[in-house]
Amino acid sequence: MASKALKHLRRFTKSTPLERGLGPMLPEGYKKFYNEWKYSEPAAVNYVPENQKWIRNEVTNEVLPVQDVPLPLKYPKEYDEQLWGGEAVVQGFQKRDMFLRRNPHFWVPPLQRSVVYSEVLNKHISVIVTRRAIQLINANYGFDHYLLKTPACDLKSLLPLGLKRKVLQELHKGCPSYADTPDKQQEIFSRYKTYLSAYTEEEIEWYGYSLKDAIKKYEDQIKAATKVTPLKTIYRAELIEKLKTAKIDEANSEGLEVAGSTWMQKMNPFGKKQET
Amino acid sequence: MWKTLGKAVAPILRESLILTPENVLQQQLRTTYILKRRNSPFLNKNGSLPKRLKAKHYIYDLVEDTNVNREPDMNVILTTYVAGLGDVGDKVAVRPNYAYNKLLMTGQAVYASPENVEKFKDYQSNIEEKTYSSATSQRAVDCLSRVTLSIIMNKETPWVLKPWHVKASFRKCGYWVPEETIVLPTNPITGPNLELENKEFFVTITVNNMEKVNVRCKIHHWTTEVVDRLPHEKDFWKKKLDPVFSEDAAILAELTPNKGLNADQ
């Protein structure tokens, strides 16, 4: 143990985004989503993972250790507005001949514009997809099942994650988009309600936001909760109170209350009359 | 993906089987470039930082490009009658792109999931009256309604039009129409009568004892004597003609106009 501790002594462990800045302040629901999104192991799509520890050379019968080192993947900016079904861009080299220098190459999945239909939201959505995404939707018998069954690390992109939040919110409210047809509403809800048990209300509310958006949402919530009254308003109220206790007649007069309501005051955007 | 699924949705897994991937994904889904390192990376020691990859570890070979592989047919259950495919409740195997773009997205079909298979199992047997006799009947009706049939009759010997004349003319056009399905106009058509050359009437065909379709017909006189033969009329189906029986005018006007028929002709 001691040797292991020594080995790790000089290593600087970088703090995660949830440990610095406003990260620790975020609700537990978001932290759970973030860990599922960023720190879970996604499915191997662009390569065949090494599952075994050892491999035997078929010619020499030599046993050699192997380790699973995933290919480094790239996610372009557009990735967050599209539905790639777990695929990514692979940057690497092609070596086309023994006597040729390696050539840089990007393996980009073919993209096409298509439509996905969400039964819960009762909406057709036009998105750019890969063939794999459509196949996954078909294999899961529908876009909603695909979203709800797939963990965040595989959906990866912000578009399906945001849609998943909307679907979960809709389910949590009991499918209000089918309010006109109660039979249909009941059928849809009973089809998807199983998925709801994996999430609490807070988790649904905070699902699928990027860290930046989550922090903004958190800040907005804090801002909305704390209503700031300008000090001048407080002091003014205090002064009027004092004058009243001192039994000064002007404190009760009309002029003091409506002092600011001239036409100039209305023009001035900062001159909004505060409740005293 | 499935490795982490358990962690993400552990609570439901115990309650229900809906999240188990086995019943959904029967075959492995790989629809992308699958790559392989040409040079295997350095082995990492237990508990230490992973070793840096060198340029040679970024040389990849293409194992498989699954985008060019042919996808197997997909099963869907129809929710409406689709001409040439099937009626409501039929489970049909179609190409995946057609199924997704034309059937599923338009709401003409649903996925053949176990739930839907159960739902549509007895749909056809519970229907009291069928709207369509078969999957292709509507297509046959559409096809026949576009035809202008030229019924070739003798120019010399007297005749009365009979269903077998119509059947023979249909056969010449490539349609096999049984005699008992042909209903001629109530008034008999007799000849030879050269006035009929520029007039049209309709016969009614019954497809599968169910769908009825009116077919536009025209008499053409023919003789074995080459000199007596009427001159060849080019694209006779494009000409607008008067009805043989004036009471049929409304029905003939309703029939699907022929391709290339000009309104001014």
Side-chain angles (χ1 to χ4, degrees):
Chain A
M1 279 309 284
S3 65
K4 201 171 184 184
L6 271 179
K7 217 191 261 179
H8 290 259
L9 199 61
R10 284 171 59 203
R11 194 183 299 166
F12 175 72
T13 48
K14 208 179 163 189
S15 62
T16 62
L18 288 181
E19 288 165 1
R20 56 175 180 261
L22 274 177
M25 310 282 277
L26 290 171
E28 281 306 311
Y30 183 73
K31 284 181 187 168
K32 191 189 163 193
F33 159 74
Y34 194 83
N35 287 327
E36 186 193 321
W37 184 31
K38 293 285 181 187
Y39 301 119
S40 303
E41 195 191 334
V45 177
N46 294 87
Y47 64 99
V48 186
E50 289 286 355
N51 291 324
Q52 62 243 32
K53 273 187 167 179
W54 308 90
I55 196 161
R56 188 186 289 275
N57 189 321
E58 285 185 4
V59 180
T60 60
N61 275 350
E62 196 182 2
V63 176
L64 290 169
V66 282
Q67 285 176 350
D68 183 27
V69 184
L71 304 191
L73 302 172
K74 301 228 161 203
Y75 298 97
K77 216 193 283 173
E78 296 81 12
Y79 186 81
D80 281 335
E81 297 154 14
Q82 299 171 359
L83 196 63
W84 285 28
E87 288 185 65
V89 175
V90 187
Q91 182 186 4
F93 298 106
Q94 275 182 338
K95 195 154 165 60
R96 291 166 197 167
D97 191 83
M98 200 164 77
F99 300 111
L100 288 180
R101 183 72 174 158
R102 62 185 187 228
N103 277 11
H105 191 83
F106 287 82
W107 283 269
V108 185
L111 302 171
Q112 64 193 71
R113 186 167 277 281
S114 187
V115 171
V116 291
Y117 174 62
S118 168
E119 208 173 14
V120 176
L121 302 174
N122 197 12
K123 271 196 176 102
H124 287 86
I125 305 155
S126 166
V127 278
I128 289 173
V129 296
T130 59
R131 202 173 122 183
R132 183 186 156 86
I134 297 288
Q135 287 196 350
L136 283 169
I137 291 169
N138 288 342
N140 286 290
Y141 302 132
F143 185 56
D144 299 303
H145 283 298
Y146 164 63
L147 285 184
L148 295 167
K149 266 182 199 168
T150 315
C153 60
D154 284 321
L155 290 175
K156 195 94 181 171
S157 154
L158 285 175
L159 174 86
L161 288 173
L163 285 173
K164 186 170 178 178
R165 177 182 64 243
K166 286 204 173 122
V167 167
L168 283 169
Q169 281 172 344
E170 190 87 352
L171 280 176
H172 191 73
K173 286 180 216 155
C175 303
S177 59
Y178 286 97
D180 305 338
T181 49
D183 288 350
K184 181 96 178 164
Q185 188 180 28
Q186 192 55 40
E187 188 193 332
I188 301 282
F189 182 70
S190 58
R191 190 176 296 159
Y192 296 102
K193 69 181 175 192
T194 337
Y195 298 110
L196 272 182
S197 54
Y199 305 92
T200 62
E201 195 178 345
E202 190 197 50
E203 280 164 27
I204 291 173
E205 194 197 333
W206 286 90
Y207 199 92
Y209 284 106
S210 66
L211 189 74
K212 198 178 160 190
D213 290 348
I215 286 175
K216 192 170 180 303
K217 185 179 156 85
Y218 176 73
E219 282 176 341
D220 288 350
Q221 275 189 359
I222 298 288
K223 217 176 189 179
T226 53
K227 201 181 173 187
V228 182
T229 327
L231 281 175
K232 69 168 187 182
T233 321
I234 299 165
Y235 292 155
R236 190 166 181 270
E238 278 175 11
L239 179 66
I240 291 169
E241 207 54 41
K242 270 183 197 168
L243 291 174
K244 275 179 185 169
T245 47
K247 293 190 175 170
I248 294 170
D249 295 340
E250 281 138 4
N252 295 324
S253 66
E254 294 273 319
L256 201 66
E257 295 294 323
V258 291
S261 63
T262 60
W263 68 272
M264 275 293 278
Q265 191 87 33
K266 278 174 198 162
M267 296 288 288
N268 185 4
F270 304 105
K272 198 179 164 194
K273 200 185 166 222
Q274 294 279 343
E275 287 294 315
T276 49
Chain B
M1 178 171 85
W2 305 116
K3 231 186 259 178
T4 47
L5 180 67
K7 282 177 224 158
V9 287
I12 336 175
L13 274 175
R14 273 172 247 121
E15 287 170 26
S16 142
L17 286 172
I18 196 161
L19 284 180
T20 48
E22 285 82 33
N23 54 3
V24 186
L25 298 160
Q26 269 117 20
Q27 74 277 359
Q28 200 172 19
L29 280 166
R30 291 230 178 90
T31 56
T32 181
Y33 300 109
I34 299 167
L35 305 172
K36 190 174 170 282
R37 280 200 179 87
R38 185 166 286 191
N39 308 301
S40 52
F42 304 125
L43 294 174
N44 299 318
K45 282 187 178 172
N46 248 350
S48 65
L49 283 174
K51 286 183 184 165
R52 276 189 69 176
L53 295 172
K54 292 199 157 194
K56 67 173 181 178
H57 300 132
Y58 286 90
I59 298 174
Y60 302 133
D61 289 326
L62 190 67
V63 178
E64 193 188 0
D65 179 7
T66 43
N67 284 304
V68 296
N69 290 356
R70 187 179 164 85
E71 279 179 69
D73 278 358
M74 198 176 134
N75 283 326
V76 288
I77 298 170
L78 299 176
T79 52
T80 50
Y81 175 82
V82 181
L85 207 57
D87 208 343
V88 185
D90 284 354
K91 190 175 166 184
V92 289
V94 282
R95 300 297 303 140
N97 272 357
Y98 173 76
Y100 188 80
N101 294 330
K102 295 285 157 78
L103 299 177
L104 292 165
M105 285 301 106
T106 53
Q108 289 181 307
V110 290
Y111 288 102
S113 62
E115 185 194 357
N116 285 334
V117 167
E118 188 61 32
K119 190 177 162 190
F120 285 96
K121 199 169 64 180
D122 302 324
Y123 193 89
Q124 275 300 324
S125 52
N126 291 342
I127 286 177
E128 288 169 5
E129 203 179 331
K130 277 191 168 186
T131 329
Y132 301 95
S133 58
S134 83
T136 47
S137 65
Q138 194 54 43
R139 190 181 276 180
V141 166
D142 290 346
C143 231
L144 286 172
S145 68
R146 285 195 296 268
V147 169
T148 299
L149 188 69
S150 170
I151 301 172
I152 296 180
M153 303 303 292
N154 202 303
K155 204 184 161 195
E156 289 147 1
T157 325
W159 46 262
V160 179
L161 192 71
K162 288 274 154 50
W164 67 266
H165 294 124
V166 181
K167 178 192 170 183
S169 300
F170 263 122
R171 198 171 60 227
K172 282 182 189 172
C173 300
Y175 296 93
W176 182 260
V177 185
E179 264 178 63
E180 60 272 19
T181 62
I182 300 167
V183 178
L184 294 180
T186 41
N187 300 328
I189 298 171
T190 53
N193 179 4
L194 286 180
E195 276 181 18
L196 289 172
E197 278 289 325
N198 288 323
K199 289 188 173 176
E200 61 180 8
F201 61 97
F202 70 87
V203 295
T204 308
I205 311 289
T206 314
V207 180
N208 293 343
N209 290 327
M210 203 164 175
E211 290 95 344
K212 283 192 166 29
V213 55
N214 296 329
V215 182
R216 197 192 295 268
C217 297
K218 178 186 175 292
I219 300 282
H220 180 61
H221 290 84
W222 190 83
T223 172
T224 45
E225 291 295 322
V226 179
V227 281
D228 292 343
R229 272 185 208 165
L230 293 173
H232 172 69
E233 198 180 348
K234 201 189 169 199
D235 295 351
F236 67 90
W237 56 86
K238 287 186 180 173
K239 299 232 166 75
K240 213 173 184 182
L241 303 172
D242 294 329
V244 175
F245 310 111
S246 54
E247 63 267 26
D248 294 345
I251 297 171
L252 282 166
E254 271 177 24
L255 287 181
T256 325
N258 289 306
K259 256 186 195 171
L261 178 75
N262 293 327
D264 50 38
Q265 272 179 338

